[in-house]
Amino acid sequence: MQTIIFDVDGTLISTEDMYMKSLDYTLRQHGIEKPYAEIRSVFGLPGYESLIHLKVPNPDAVLVEWKSNVNDFADGIHLYNGIFEMLSGLKDNGQTLGIVTSNTPDEFAIHHDQYKIEQFFSDFVFAGMTPNMKPFADPILLAMQNLKVNPNEAIYIGDSVHDMGAAHNAGIKFGMAAWGVPNQEVFENQADVVFATPKDLLEWVQLN
């Protein structure tokens, strides 16, 4: 496989606690109490779409408050074990790597540059760079255009059904980052490849 495109949150970096616990806190400040499983279900969607999906009243104002609360929960984020070694191995093996994320550039820079993983990637597609974001194909198609790669030469690695939908809508394979997936049943066995660990992904790419 020539090109590997990655999601970020829940795939390379564990950020669920930061985003979802801050969302839970923000909703409770507005008297809105929802089961955490329901809140967690929107992890990976852009913030505004998450609030619409959860049917939160006045989503514009709530989104501003949610963003202001995120940093209060930032202590829980970390790079998943084996990610740095996997990215280094892929780069050494000659693979081209890209990022497609629902983060804005500012959100990505605030929380992710501390892990020094940007060095491995040749292209970044952020929220707002395409007319539609995941699960539409637009961001992955843009990444493939920027990286000059054909669909049969690429795979998208992510942790949500929205990631899988975006990959399949773009006509490429989807690899589940199972290390960041608490419930694989929601994928209904539609992932093309399931990787239990980052090392498994590196080994698979070396064989394909």
Side-chain angles (χ1 to χ4, degrees), residues 136-153:
F136 291 93
D138 303 33
I140 293 179
L141 291 175
L142 177 59
M144 289 195 295
Q145 176 183 322
N146 292 343
L147 295 169
K148 297 179 174 59
V149 61
N150 296 320
N152 63 347
E153 299 172 327

Side-chain angles (χ1 to χ4, degrees), residues 30-134:
H30 286 264
I32 302 171
E33 296 190 16
K34 292 182 177 290
Y36 188 77
E38 182 179 355
I39 293 174
R40 202 276 172 199
S41 71
V42 301
F43 183 58
L45 286 178
Y48 186 80
E49 291 183 28
S50 298
L51 298 177
I52 295 298
H53 185 85
L54 293 171
K55 298 181 172 60
V56 174
N58 199 10
D60 293 286
V62 173
L63 180 61
V64 172
E65 292 184 35
W66 179 14
K67 287 183 176 180
S68 72
N69 291 328
V70 162
N71 286 334
D72 293 337
F73 296 83
D75 290 346
I77 68 174
H78 60 273
L79 198 68
Y80 285 110
N81 290 335
I83 291 295
F84 193 92
E85 294 79 5
M86 174 197 70
L87 294 175
S88 180
L90 291 172
K91 200 69 174 178
D92 289 345
N93 199 52
Q95 268 71 43
T96 300
L97 308 182
I99 287 283
V100 167
T101 174
S102 296
N103 290 151
T104 64
D106 288 343
E107 289 170 339
F108 183 86
I110 289 171
H111 299 296
H112 304 111
D113 60 0
Q114 61 184 300
Y115 301 109
K116 309 302 180 186
I117 59 174
E118 288 83 354
Q119 62 181 301
F120 298 115
F121 298 98
S122 301
D123 185 65
F124 299 83
V125 175
F126 297 109
M129 293 177 65
T130 57
N132 300 295
M133 283 299 291
K134 299 178 293 186

